[in-house]
Each structure stands twice: as structure tokens, then as C-alpha cells.
Amino acid sequence: MEPTAAAALREARARLGGHGRDARLDASRLLEAASGRDRAWLLAHAGDTLDRHDFERFTGYVARRERGEPVAYILGECGFYGRSFEITRDVLVPRPESEHLIELALRRLREAAARGPRVCDVGTGSGALAVTLCCELPSLEADGIDLSPAALAVADRNARRHALGARIAFRIGDALNGLAAGRLFDGILANLPYVPTAELQDHPDPTAFEPRVALDGGPDGLDAYRRLLERAPHHLVPGGWLLMEAGPGTASALADLAGRAFPASAFVEIHRDYAARERIVAVRG
Ligand code: GLN
């Protein structure tokens, strides 16, 4: 006999307890996906016995989560800035911290919004940044660049999922190398690999499941950003913004590099996330 929804959730929460205070939420999301029912339905039917196939699917999901696999990979989907994105193991799981990059870009692009700005999302991965910005600013057009063809396929599907096919041009590339001279942007956003190689093995989950090429920033975590900073000054309109996500341990070194790449810029700012960790380096071109 299969358990009730309430009993299955209780058992799953206990098993996932090792994965922090999110165990309750994770168990509930996995049961919603396994049963095809939403949270409200499951609450109203907490005492009903689960369907056998749904229960088996749920048990499989919980076992994967118990091994540390992120819910986004198990479900093939993740929320970011209020929208849903397809996620596969070819791309990083979008982090809430990256929503700060969106907030900042929206503030910085406000002036340019009237003239139809163009942004470039470097290391686009799932496309979450480019797609979100295009959804938020209807006058915006974007380029999305990534080294990984598999990631670009996911990004392209996400653009179509949000009906943005015509407004985002995805291309394969390493940082801004190979981009036509004279291609200018009002904003360049980047979430490039920034974890120092030696820290990768101790890095908190879910990185063990994520593509290393999207995380490994070389000995000091800044290899990819060095390549970006070589080209970025040539691709920003005067007064345009370069916004780069960094790790708490790398942001100030990145700000120094950015200052050297843009010697005439009066604006090199470091922004913090809600946990007050240094997170974003912003430079005005
Ligand atoms: N935010 C990721 C982490 O620290 C790293 C992402 C990246 O390297 N761009 O878990």
C-alpha cells in the first residue's frame, strides 16, 4: 500500500534533512512534479493515498536529491526572477544572487531604454540573464555568447519559451573574442567562471553536479574575466555599463583589473548581495 501524500512528504523531509532548511520546500516541489499536482491540491488531499507510479517517481527524485543533485537538474527546470527556465546539466543552475545583476542592469539601462538598447550576455549558459532582461525591457535586444554549444541550445530554447526568438542572437565564442569590431553595447553582463581552481573541490553544492567549464576560473578565479576585460572597452558605447558577477573572494581583485582595463572611467563600483558579500563589479565605459 502506498503512503499518503502527507506521510510521503514527512519521510522525504527526514531523508533530505541533511540538505538544510530547504528540505521541506524541496520535498514539496519534488512531490508536485512527481504527481503533476500543485501545492494547493496536495495540501487539500494530504490524507489521500498516492498513486503507485507517482510514488515511485517521487522516491526516485528524493533519492537523487539525497545524493546532492540540485532540484533544478532533477526537474529540468528552475525559477529565476519570477520566470521559469529549462535547465540541463550543460548549464549552471541560476542563483538568486544573479538576480542582483538583473536589478542593477535594469537601473543602469533605464536611461538607454528609450532608444532601444542592446546588451551582451557573456557566458550566457541557460540564457537566464539575457531572457530576463529582454522580458523586463521590451525595447531591448541582446546577444548571448557562450563557449558551449550544448549550453547555447538550452539558451535558445529558453528564448523561445519566452517568445523572444527574434530579439536575442546567440553565438558561440570565448568571452568577446571574435566579435565584429564596431559591435557596440549599452550594457555587457557577465557571469563567467570565477571559482579559483583549488577551491572547486571544497565549493558548496550544487557545484559538484555543474559543468566545470562554467565554474573554473583558473588559479585566481579571474582567467575568463581577464579575457573579457581585454575586449570589453572596444564594445561598450560611451557611458555604457559592464556588469560582472564575481565571488566574495575575487570581487576586489576583479575591480582592480577593471580599473586598469578602463583607465579613464570614473566609475568602478563593487555591489554586495543581501548577505553583504561583495558580488558585482560595475564599470562605466
Ligand atoms: N555562483 C557559483 C558558485 O559560487 C559560481 C558561478 C560562476 O563561477 N560563475 O557557486
Side-chain angles (χ1 to χ4, degrees):
M1 174 86 167
E2 276 61 47
T4 62
L9 277 174
R10 231 182 356 260
E11 155 84 17
R13 278 203 301 269
R15 279 173 64 185
L16 300 180
H19 293 279
R21 66 192 164 80
D22 295 332
R24 177 185 299 268
L25 190 61
D26 288 351
S28 161
R29 286 173 62 206
L30 295 175
L31 186 57
E32 286 166 42
S35 64
R37 307 288 190 179
D38 66 14
R39 203 175 157 77
W41 192 96
L42 287 169
L43 276 174
H45 295 81
D48 291 7
T49 302
L50 287 177
D51 169 84
R52 185 160 63 86
H53 295 293
D54 293 351
F55 179 60
E56 277 168 11
R57 206 173 300 130
F58 178 59
T59 308
Y61 289 169
V62 172
R64 286 168 69 182
R65 181 73 196 109
E66 208 178 356
R67 290 193 289 270
E69 185 170 351
V71 172
Y73 288 154
I74 299 171
L75 302 186
E77 206 161 53
C78 176
F80 181 75
Y81 210 78
R83 294 183 184 82
S84 165
F85 289 86
E86 177 189 328
I87 298 299
T88 72
R89 288 190 61 171
D90 295 310
V91 300
L92 287 188
V93 178
R95 309 283 205 273
E97 292 92 298
S98 301
E99 293 177 336
H100 289 279
L101 210 50
I102 296 291
E103 295 283 351
L104 193 60
L106 290 174
R107 289 206 297 275
R108 296 293 182 256
L109 290 168
R110 200 172 289 142
E111 273 170 41
R115 61 167 195 273
R118 172 161 282 276
V119 302
C120 188
D121 174 12
V122 189
T124 192
S126 64
L129 294 176
V131 167
T132 300
L133 279 181
C134 283
C135 289
E136 293 293 319
L137 282 182
S139 62
L140 190 85
E141 299 210 335
D143 283 15
I145 300 179
D146 207 284
L147 263 179
S148 153
L152 285 175
V154 177
D156 192 48
R157 287 198 293 277
N158 277 322
R160 277 187 269 161
R161 171 186 281 220
H162 294 285
L164 296 171
R167 287 171 53 202
I168 309 184
F170 289 110
R171 65 185 79 227
I172 194 152
D174 178 19
L176 293 165
N177 295 332
L179 204 62
R183 188 147 184 90
L184 296 181
F185 301 98
D186 299 276
I188 298 176
L189 274 78
N191 180 7
L192 293 176
Y194 56 70
V195 182
T197 308
E199 289 174 24
L200 265 175
Q201 68 197 46
D202 308 320
H203 214 64
D205 271 349
T207 49
F209 290 81
E210 293 181 305
R212 196 181 161 108
V213 65
L215 295 164
D216 186 349
D220 65 355
L222 293 171
D223 280 1
Y225 278 122
R226 273 191 198 90
R227 294 199 297 279
L228 175 72
L229 285 166
E230 268 171 36
R231 301 295 315 151
H234 305 291
H235 292 285
L236 268 187
V237 301
W241 286 90
L242 169 63
L243 307 175
M244 300 175 283
E245 180 175 319
T250 49
S252 63
L254 179 58
D256 289 346
L257 285 179
R260 267 177 265 147
F262 287 84
S265 174
F267 296 94
V268 180
E269 314 161 334
I270 299 183
H271 295 259
R272 291 171 187 269
D273 62 19
Y274 289 129
R277 288 170 307 200
E278 294 183 334
R279 242 329 140 179
I280 299 174
V281 176
V283 192
R284 186 162 196 183

